[in-house]
Amino acid sequence: MLSLVFALFAVATSAWAISWPLILDAGSTGGNVWIELTYTIHVPQGPPSTVTTGPWFFWCGLQPQGGGVVQPVLQWGEDAPGYVNPNAPFPHIWAMVLWDVPASGLNNDVSRISNGVWAAQGDQIANSASFNSGFWTQTASVISGQATGASTSTNITANQYFHDDAAHDGGANFFLCESELDGQQTNQWNFPVLFTDIFIRAKNSNGVQALCASARPFSDGNGFANMTGFSMFDANTCHFASLVLTPP
Ligand SMILES: *[C@@H]1O[C@H](CO)[C@@H](O)[C@H](O)[C@H]1NC(C)=O
Ligand SMILES: *[C@@H]1O[C@H](CO)[C@@H](O)[C@H](O)[C@H]1NC(C)=O
């Protein structure tokens, strides 16, 4: 049930979201798609103590055409099925969880949800999502701070969750990063969320540099997305040194 609720939130536009997309245009790129994403998220402070409704999610992910999303998510106010570090000796506020939210009607509309990784404020968590030979694999691993060493991973059969096409390449032309805040107190979001070392790799180089080079800091009224330090890691791979999502 929770996963179904999440699926609805994840595919619909959330009530309160700053959302940064990079969409490879199918026509002008000859059907190029993203096949790998890595990023590090820096665990922020918790929501203000007055906030009792949620959940609040911060994430970057890849969306296959036809719906659904592959997304390592830092979440508050939403339980994971279990935790890899249930006795972590710090307040259990934020957990990193790997979600595969299926396209509508696939996998009985049930998301694959990994066990969570509790992480403390200031911890850095390295995340990846990659498509390889019909499988989507995700990993999350705490690389510094109090939860260092805690990790989780998933590996799913892509066509069980997402629509396939003749290219059999995962079909994920849509990258995005988002603050996805649900509940009635989203206007109390009052802290920045920092992402670093963002690498987004495409199947080939078609359209990649032009698309990524066009990214500019912006606001959509629900917050600010400020990406900095763009470079091409290689011809197929965009790199951004950082992204900060901040409240309006
Ligand atoms: C994912 O699972 C498939 C099928 O069991 C396996 O062939 C593949 O090596 C796995 N990939 C990873 C990264 O674990
Ligand atoms: C984006 O972040 C950079 C580096 O922190 C800062 O210098 C710049 O003013 C910010 N730009 C906007 C539009 O917020």
Side-chain angles (χ1 to χ4, degrees):
M1 187 57 197
L2 284 177
S3 59
L4 179 58
V5 169
F6 183 88
L8 295 174
F9 282 129
V11 297
T13 300
S14 182
W16 192 272
I18 171 74
S19 197
W20 172 42
L22 289 172
I23 304 172
L24 287 162
D25 177 69
S28 64
T29 68
N32 199 9
V33 293
W34 303 116
I35 56 171
E36 183 171 17
L37 163 68
T38 65
Y39 72 92
T40 295
I41 193 164
H42 298 235
V43 179
Q45 64 187 76
S49 57
T50 47
V51 176
T52 55
T53 62
W56 288 9
F57 303 106
F58 295 91
W59 54 274
C60 296
L62 299 177
Q63 298 197 167
Q65 294 170 68
V69 57
V70 179
Q71 49 177 185
V73 177
L74 186 70
Q75 63 188 46
W76 171 85
E78 170 93 352
D79 287 333
Y83 294 88
V84 302
N85 53 351
N87 301 316
F90 49 78
H92 294 176
I93 297 170
W94 293 105
M96 200 75 208
V97 180
L98 306 170
W99 291 77
D100 292 284
V101 181
S104 179
L106 297 188
N107 202 49
N108 298 317
D109 291 311
V110 176
S111 297
R112 171 77 172 87
I113 309 168
S114 77
N115 283 330
V117 178
W118 290 117
Q121 182 176 352
D123 286 10
Q124 296 183 31
I125 310 168
N127 304 287
S128 70
S130 60
F131 179 84
N132 197 0
S133 305
F135 297 90
W136 279 104
T137 303
Q138 297 186 71
T139 64
S141 181
V142 183
I143 56 171
S144 80
Q146 296 188 53
T148 297
S151 67
T152 190
S153 64
T154 62
N155 179 27
I156 61 151
T157 301
N159 64 15
Q160 187 179 333
Y161 287 75
F162 310 112
H163 293 289
D164 202 4
D165 64 15
H168 305 302
D169 56 10
N173 70 328
F174 195 152
F175 156 87
L176 80 167
C177 295
E178 192 166 291
S179 65
E180 186 180 339
L181 309 186
D182 302 302
Q184 287 78 54
Q185 295 163 290
T186 55
N187 63 349
Q188 292 188 40
W189 174 32
N190 64 352
F191 51 86
V193 180
L194 173 64
F195 302 69
T196 55
D197 303 298
I198 302 169
F199 293 85
I200 322 158
R201 186 158 68 96
K203 183 171 72 166
N204 59 55
S205 63
N206 293 348
V208 172
Q209 180 162 3
L211 175 63
C212 292
S214 71
R216 294 285 179 277
F218 71 99
S219 168
D220 66 359
N222 292 330
F224 296 90
N226 187 355
M227 65 299 295
T228 64
F230 164 69
S231 61
M232 292 300 288
F233 175 74
D234 61 28
N236 300 359
T237 312
C238 301
H239 169 248
F240 292 89
S242 73
L243 166 72
V244 185
L245 300 181
T246 45

